[in-house]
Amino acid sequence: MPDAISLFAQGTRVLMLPAWLELAAVVVGSLSGSLVAIERQLDLTGCVALSLICGLGGGLIRDVIMQEGDVYMLNSTAAIVLCVVAGAIVFHFPTALRRVPNAIEWADVLSVGLFCAAGVNKALMYGLGGVQAVLMGVITGVGGGMLRDVFLGDVPKIFQPSTNYYAVSALGGSLVYLVLYRYFHVMNPWVAIVCTLVTVALRRLSLRFGLVSSPSHDYTNELLAPMRRVAERAQEHSRRTNQ
């Protein structure tokens, strides 16, 4: 009967996310951060810094929270080099990417989808439950963008009431990954690709139809209104009875 270590090794081989997919997530995230840096007219240092933050930030938050396995950015020299190179290229040659319609939006949502897959994958690989795996997927997906907004002094996009279902798209993609793997036994890279496509599709649909989150609405009066009417009727009945 296989021991726990061999079972973990088998599960790791089955769930292992292809290196090219992980690096693709890093590169796309880096491009997203670099394009925002160009839009904000930052210098080369700022552009490379945002490239690193968006390319590696979500995974760093995930790894710190999970405290399982290694810290991806510290064990992947290629990922760090790619972030620096991507930031430098975008800084010196921004026109090529600017010609792509909605380049920032596409790079942003693609990176969210890819990082969602990476987050759910690692959580499942280390035996976390379904809820925790989905949470890690969402955090990994939106973490880099959240850190980017914080470093730029903005309210993170996922918290803004006018955002077109940014975090909801990440949640949808992460749930699809979990369901396909756990109940339909779809393996990588296909489950990761589907997760990414679903995340992108949900985000694009929210933009296409103008679906946005809304600020808080106070329902206290609506909730208490029936009780107040009952109390008023009781008082009116009591007055009539006394007369």
Side-chain angles (χ1 to χ4, degrees):
M1 191 165 178
D3 57 20
I5 294 177
S6 63
L7 282 174
F8 175 78
Q10 293 172 15
T12 299
R13 286 194 296 272
V14 170
L15 271 169
M16 185 66 69
L17 195 67
W20 64 268
L21 259 178
E22 289 189 303
L23 290 176
V26 169
V27 170
V28 176
S30 298
L31 292 176
S32 170
S34 302
L35 287 168
V36 172
I38 295 300
E39 187 180 63
R40 297 294 185 94
Q41 297 184 334
L42 303 185
D43 63 4
L44 178 59
T45 301
C47 190
V48 172
L50 283 191
S51 178
L52 287 163
I53 289 169
C54 291
L56 301 171
L60 178 61
I61 296 174
R62 173 202 62 202
D63 295 338
V64 169
I65 293 175
M66 282 183 57
Q67 297 186 19
E68 296 280 0
D70 58 5
V71 178
Y72 177 73
M73 67 173 290
L74 299 182
N75 287 279
S76 180
T77 303
I80 297 175
V81 171
L82 282 172
C83 286
V84 174
V85 171
I89 290 175
V90 173
F91 181 81
H92 291 291
F93 307 99
T95 303
L97 286 172
R98 279 176 173 169
R99 289 176 179 173
V100 179
N102 303 316
I104 295 178
E105 181 63 40
W106 278 107
D108 198 21
V109 70
L110 275 173
S111 68
V112 170
L114 289 166
F115 280 125
C116 283
V120 179
N121 175 82
K122 184 168 184 177
L124 292 175
M125 193 167 67
Y126 283 93
L128 270 65
V131 174
Q132 292 84 351
V134 170
L135 180 61
M136 288 300 100
V138 174
I139 288 175
T140 309
V142 304
M146 182 175 67
L147 287 177
R148 174 200 66 206
D149 295 338
V150 170
F151 274 76
L152 289 173
D154 299 332
V155 176
K157 188 180 293 185
I158 61 171
F159 301 144
Q160 295 180 21
S162 61
T163 299
N164 295 86
Y165 291 167
Y166 189 76
V168 174
S169 301
L171 176 62
S174 299
L175 282 170
V176 166
Y177 189 111
L178 177 68
V179 171
L180 288 179
Y181 168 74
R182 180 161 290 180
Y183 300 105
F184 295 93
H185 311 295
V186 181
M187 300 300 169
N188 283 314
W190 305 112
V191 65
I193 292 172
V194 174
C195 168
T196 303
L197 292 176
V198 168
T199 303
V200 172
L202 289 174
R203 175 71 169 154
R204 296 307 303 176
L205 283 172
S206 70
L207 291 169
R208 172 67 178 81
F209 295 102
L211 303 175
V212 296
S213 56
S214 59
S216 173
H217 177 77
D218 191 350
Y219 291 96
T220 304
N221 291 331
E222 288 88 337
L223 181 65
L224 295 178
M227 300 171 62
R228 288 170 178 163
R229 287 195 293 269
V230 170
E232 290 171 357
R233 290 172 183 171
Q235 290 176 356
E236 181 64 25
H237 178 71
S238 176
R239 283 197 298 269
R240 291 178 180 176
T241 302
N242 293 334
Q243 289 176 355

